[in-house]
Amino acid sequence: MPYERSIGEATPLLRRSASSRIDLKRFLLRRIPILAWLPVYSWSKLLQDTLAGLTVGLTAIPQGIAYAIVAGLPPQYGLYSGIMGCFIYLVFGSCKDITVGPTAIMALLSQHHVMRLGEDIAVFVCFLSGCIILLMGLLHLGFLVEFVSMPVISGFSNAAALIIATSQLGTLFGLSGRSDSFIDAIVKVVDHVNEITLWDTVLGVSSMIVLVCLKNLPGKKTGTPFQKFLWLSSLARNAIVVIIGIILSYSLYSSGIKPFKITGNITEGLPPFGPPPFSIVTGNHTYNFLETVNELGSTAVSVPLVAILESIAIAKAFAKGKTVDANQEMFALGLCNIFGSLVRSMPATGSFTRTAVNNASGVKTPMGGVITGCLVLLACGLLTSTFEFIPKATLAAVIIVAMYYMFDLSIFGMIWRTKKIDLIPLTVTFLSCLAIGSEYGLIAGIVVNLILLLYFTARPGLLIEERVVDGLTILFVSPKQSLSYPAAEYLRECVMSWCSTRSETIPVIVEGRHVHRIDATVAKNLALLLMDLEARNQKLVFWNWCEDARRTLISYDSSLTMSFKTSGSVTQIFSSRTAPPVLRASRE
């Protein structure tokens, strides 16, 4: 017996222990996805991932350099960002297609602060954004992303495409200096039109034409060898154009001919490893951590927010019907930025262009990112002297063409056909970004969108009409959605306003078919509505309400119990046989 008791007592402990191990395993597989796919990895997958990784690398190198220049940083910052993003996402990323690294929007959001405070601020923003994104992922705050609507995102991305493209016009035409805004970029070109250099312009425009032609090559991944060659050429078009530019400028510079402005010196060697700068030295002033955060202002919020939106939107676009764990993506993205700050990289997020190339190349797992990272790492170690000869006009052409395909004018027509009122946040975001800056434009769009959301919450759809049932005229009221406190007074006012226009004292039915929940404020106003109608000798019936809403209302005022009725139709409530009891119950 003692033995049996010990076994009986131990069994629950064993069960709890086994359950704990299972829960721990699930947690690790969810938080470290590489543990799930690496044990079943195969040589065939490695071959596909290698091809995809090399193809993406040929796009990542010129884009990394170009976006670093957009941000006002040395080219290596963009390369370092791509390297660390690829390696960290391998372990923690849940989407096989996503490539994390520098993007045009991240560069744009960093540009203003880099011009004021220097290169260290970009690394600081990278670290701070990573911490915020990681914290949001750990706290399961991915649902907050859903409060930024598609019109706001579209307005922001379209404005960003225009701002970035126009910021490169001066470089495309060989003009010196930088522009501070969309309007400033255009004014700068107009004011200095007489300083435009011929050969930079010719090279830039020619590069744009070649990029567009390569993108539209009729190649196929599964066709003949020639079609496969065209397909690969189309995917690697950025690298092809940059390589042609390097060869051309190197040949001319070697002969003493210098018709183009080139990128210039790029720091050699592998990325340095060290803590991010927690204080920024600019001129004779040193900003401590809190002062630096204060200097960033809204950027401290907008950069992580945009990074999350961009990365999760891309993950959903390439999920192909699979669910996307937004919290895990935020967890991975936060770590990419935190570790990226340790090698002096700029803020990173998912790149739509490189992710599309990755997907088109047939990547099987996140291992493709490691191949991309190794290629970029190799370029940093061995090819930095070659990158010095990249013509600035060629990089400007790469950016402008990329922004051209990023700009989606059709979204205006689609929203006009779908829901015209959504044009308000779209237009406000778009114009505000162009006029006052991308960060403030994004905030303005979110605020307008939330105002519209609150307005429709406070003004829910109401069906109010008179009906005749078995010769009895009734006022039928049907809310088209759940009711919350902003709508409470509105519902009461609408019913009373309608009743005040009639001299007859007709019964009122409030249908609750679409009302799945109410709060205390709504309960109070419905009780007041009952009192207002009784003062006019009108009866109120709550018809077909769900149990949860009914319980809330009765908990507020138990006397309302007799006012609830459930039946298949209004006719059954006010039929000649059932109407008198209903009226008596209401009167009681």
Side-chain angles (χ1 to χ4, degrees):
M1 292 296 293
Y3 177 76
E4 292 178 358
R5 281 198 301 270
S6 64
I7 292 295
E9 291 169 356
T11 300
L13 295 176
L14 292 174
R15 288 174 180 170
R16 285 196 295 270
S17 178
S19 177
S20 299
R21 287 196 297 269
I22 292 173
D23 291 341
L24 177 61
K25 182 179 179 180
R26 289 176 179 171
F27 175 78
L28 291 175
L29 290 177
R30 187 173 70 251
R31 287 300 184 202
I32 312 177
I34 191 174
L35 298 177
W37 59 262
L38 190 59
V40 295
Y41 199 64
S42 62
W43 288 105
S44 61
K45 290 181 179 178
L46 178 61
L47 183 63
Q48 283 287 98
D49 288 342
T50 301
L51 174 63
L54 292 174
T55 306
V56 174
L58 293 176
T59 302
I61 293 172
Q63 281 194 346
I65 295 173
Y67 294 147
I69 292 175
V70 169
L73 297 166
Q76 64 267 18
Y77 279 70
L79 298 177
Y80 296 164
S81 178
I83 292 170
M84 192 54 69
C86 289
F87 283 114
I88 300 301
Y89 195 82
L90 163 75
V91 180
F92 300 101
S94 61
C95 180
K96 66 181 179 64
D97 300 292
I98 281 190
T99 302
V100 175
T103 66
I105 295 178
M106 290 291 100
L108 177 64
L109 293 175
S110 305
Q111 181 191 80
H112 174 66
H113 300 289
V114 171
M115 294 174 66
R116 288 194 309 113
L117 302 173
E119 301 167 7
D120 283 350
I121 193 65
V123 183
F124 181 84
V125 171
C126 183
F127 172 78
L128 185 63
S129 300
C131 292
I132 294 174
I133 296 170
L134 177 63
L135 182 63
M136 291 179 67
L138 292 175
L139 295 178
H140 292 261
L141 298 179
F143 71 93
L144 293 176
V145 178
E146 299 171 7
F147 283 92
V148 184
S149 67
M150 182 266 288
V152 173
I153 297 172
S154 298
F156 175 77
S157 58
N158 277 324
L162 274 182
I163 294 170
I164 295 167
T166 53
S167 72
Q168 296 301 305
L169 286 177
T171 305
L172 185 76
F173 296 138
L175 301 177
S176 302
R178 304 185 62 85
S179 55
D180 296 326
S181 64
F182 170 73
I183 298 174
D184 181 56
I186 297 176
V187 170
K188 174 188 169 185
V189 174
V190 173
D191 289 345
H192 297 84
V193 67
N194 58 329
E195 300 176 18
I196 291 177
T197 58
L198 174 62
W199 294 112
D200 279 300
T201 304
V202 170
L203 178 63
V205 173
S206 300
S207 298
M208 291 173 63
I209 294 172
V210 172
L211 284 167
V212 173
C213 293
L214 288 175
K215 179 176 174 59
N216 293 286
L217 287 176
K220 291 183 180 179
K221 180 182 176 181
T222 57
T224 63
F226 180 68
Q227 289 177 321
K228 290 181 180 179
F229 172 76
L230 294 179
W231 169 76
L232 187 60
S233 299
S234 178
L235 290 179
R237 58 187 178 275
N238 289 337
I240 291 173
V241 169
V242 170
I243 290 172
I244 293 173
I246 290 174
I247 293 173
L248 181 60
S249 62
Y250 178 78
S251 301
L252 293 173
Y253 270 68
S254 298
S255 303
I257 304 173
K258 301 179 180 180
F260 316 124
K261 292 183 175 65
I262 60 175
T263 303
N265 183 54
I266 297 178
T267 302
E268 295 184 3
L270 301 180
F273 192 85
F278 294 110
S279 60
I280 307 295
V281 179
T282 303
N284 296 324
H285 185 74
T286 299
Y287 295 91
N288 59 31
F289 184 88
L290 293 179
E291 289 175 333
T292 305
V293 173
N294 186 57
E295 283 294 315
L296 289 174
S298 61
T299 303
V301 177
S302 62
V303 170
L305 175 62
V306 172
I308 292 169
L309 290 172
E310 195 170 0
S311 191
I312 293 179
I314 293 169
K316 290 181 178 179
F318 289 90
K320 295 182 178 178
K322 298 180 181 178
T323 58
V324 174
D325 187 347
N327 295 308
Q328 178 60 28
E329 284 300 303
M330 291 161 64
F331 181 77
L333 183 60
L335 289 176
C336 286
N337 279 280
I338 290 174
F339 280 93
S341 68
L342 302 180
V343 294
R344 295 192 66 78
S345 72
M346 61 186 289
T349 186
S351 164
F352 189 87
T353 302
R354 296 190 293 277
T355 300
V357 171
N358 208 18
N359 178 266
S361 302
V363 70
K364 296 298 181 183
T365 69
M367 185 66 76
V370 174
I371 307 300
T372 299
C374 289
L375 183 62
V376 179
L377 194 63
L378 183 67
C380 286
L382 302 178
L383 301 177
T384 50
S385 58
T386 303
F387 293 155
E388 296 179 15
F389 292 95
I390 300 177
K392 289 186 176 181
T394 299
L395 288 177
V398 169
I399 296 170
I400 291 173
V401 171
M403 294 305 101
Y404 170 77
Y405 288 108
M406 179 178 164
F407 187 77
D408 183 15
L409 192 61
S410 64
I411 189 68
F412 290 90
M414 185 274 288
I415 290 181
W416 175 264
R417 295 190 304 271
T418 308
K419 190 74 172 178
K420 293 180 177 60
I421 198 168
D422 283 340
L423 284 173
I424 296 176
L426 172 65
T427 306
V428 168
T429 305
F430 180 73
L431 295 179
S432 298
C433 286
L434 295 181
I436 61 177
S438 52
E439 299 166 21
Y440 297 110
L442 178 63
I443 294 172
I446 292 174
V447 169
V448 169
N449 205 80
L450 290 177
I451 290 173
L452 290 176
L453 180 64
L454 291 174
Y455 175 79
F456 288 116
T457 302
R459 296 291 182 269
L462 287 177
L463 172 63
I464 302 180
E465 62 181 9
E466 290 186 11
R467 294 182 181 181
V468 178
V469 179
D470 287 349
L472 177 65
T473 302
I474 64 169
L475 181 64
F476 184 81
V477 181
S478 178
K480 297 182 180 179
Q481 64 189 63
S482 292
L483 300 173
S484 55
Y485 67 91
E489 188 68 26
Y490 174 71
L491 171 63
R492 180 183 165 202
E493 287 180 357
C494 287
V495 174
M496 293 309 299
S497 296
W498 188 284
C499 292
S500 65
T501 60
R502 295 181 58 92
S503 58
E504 307 99 289
T505 55
I506 62 175
V508 177
I509 287 184
V510 179
E511 183 196 34
R513 179 162 51 102
H514 302 294
V515 181
H516 301 293
R517 64 169 184 82
I518 61 174
D519 53 37
T521 308
V522 176
K524 174 185 176 182
N525 276 271
L526 290 176
L528 291 174
L529 176 62
L530 177 63
M531 295 174 59
D532 292 340
L533 291 174
E534 284 182 344
R536 292 174 50 85
N537 293 320
Q538 289 183 262
K539 312 302 180 275
L540 176 62
V541 175
F542 298 110
W543 178 48
N544 287 349
W545 283 59
C546 73
E547 183 59 29
D548 184 57
R550 178 178 176 273
R551 189 184 305 112
T552 302
L553 195 51
I554 292 175
S555 297
Y556 178 81
D557 186 350
S558 60
S559 66
L560 297 175
T561 305
M562 301 302 294
S563 297
F564 282 93
K565 298 298 172 184
T566 301
S567 62
S569 65
V570 178
T571 304
Q572 293 177 358
I573 296 178
F574 290 102
S575 63
S576 58
R577 289 175 297 179
T578 61
V582 171
L583 295 178
R584 283 198 299 272
S586 298
R587 189 175 296 112
E588 292 171 1

